[in-house]
Amino acid sequence: MLELGKKGAHGVPKGVVPVLSDGAVVAMLHAAHWREAATAEVGDRRWEFQRQGSRELVGRWAQEPAGSVRLRAHAVSFWKNRWAVELDGVPVDVETGSWWKGTRRYRRGDRLLAESGRIGGWGWRHTLTTDADLPLDHAVFLLWFESVLARRQAAAAAA
């Protein structure tokens, strides 16, 4: 299981969110403050995640041209909060796991690739239970995607 840690914890720089697997840092997220964007460090690879237009969240390797897209989450229905995901060109079905808990399941055909969750009390953090074959890069994108959706939901509830 992967989880987003607390900013600046587990030996990462201040303001950086660690991605943990069994308590060990496996990646880091540098989230932008005022927009839906982040830079992720996964091993020796650096990713750029950002919002593209009003209905897409995308990811690309940092050294690729700005228009490149390797990872994509596209809003299918804004009102029903339904999304479609592509991971390196492979379509992934997104289904609601629990409306109450705000969790999602990610499937390729009949195969469950990942399931989101949350841990903690007031300051809950996102988790992702993944299939062994799901690359870590893809899992980190899905965790960022989950955190963006949670921030949107919290902002809508506060309005």
Side-chain angles (χ1 to χ4, degrees), residues 41-147:
E41 294 177 32
V42 183
D44 61 348
R45 198 176 342 241
R46 193 171 177 88
W47 288 87
E48 296 290 331
F49 300 152
Q50 63 187 3
R51 184 180 70 188
Q52 182 173 302
S54 63
R55 298 175 63 106
E56 282 192 326
L57 299 170
V58 297
R60 65 175 172 84
W61 290 340
Q63 71 269 18
E64 292 180 322
S68 301
V69 175
R70 290 186 175 268
L71 311 171
R72 177 188 320 265
H74 176 77
V76 176
S77 171
F78 179 75
W79 298 109
K80 294 182 180 180
N81 197 22
R82 287 191 27 227
W83 290 80
V85 172
E86 284 183 30
L87 303 174
D88 281 324
V90 177
V92 175
D93 297 322
V94 181
E95 59 187 43
T96 300
S98 167
W99 284 104
W100 294 107
K101 295 179 184 178
T103 61
R104 278 168 275 291
R105 291 187 191 102
Y106 301 90
R107 294 184 183 275
R108 187 177 323 140
D110 292 340
R111 188 165 167 212
L112 181 64
L113 294 177
E115 187 168 11
S116 67
R118 301 187 299 198
I119 58 172
W122 288 105
W124 49 267
R125 298 182 315 272
H126 297 281
T127 64
L128 194 68
T129 304
T130 63
D131 182 275
D133 293 336
L134 184 68
L136 181 59
D137 297 331
H138 297 174
V140 170
F141 176 74
L142 293 176
L143 270 172
W144 175 73
F145 170 67
E146 289 287 334
S147 69

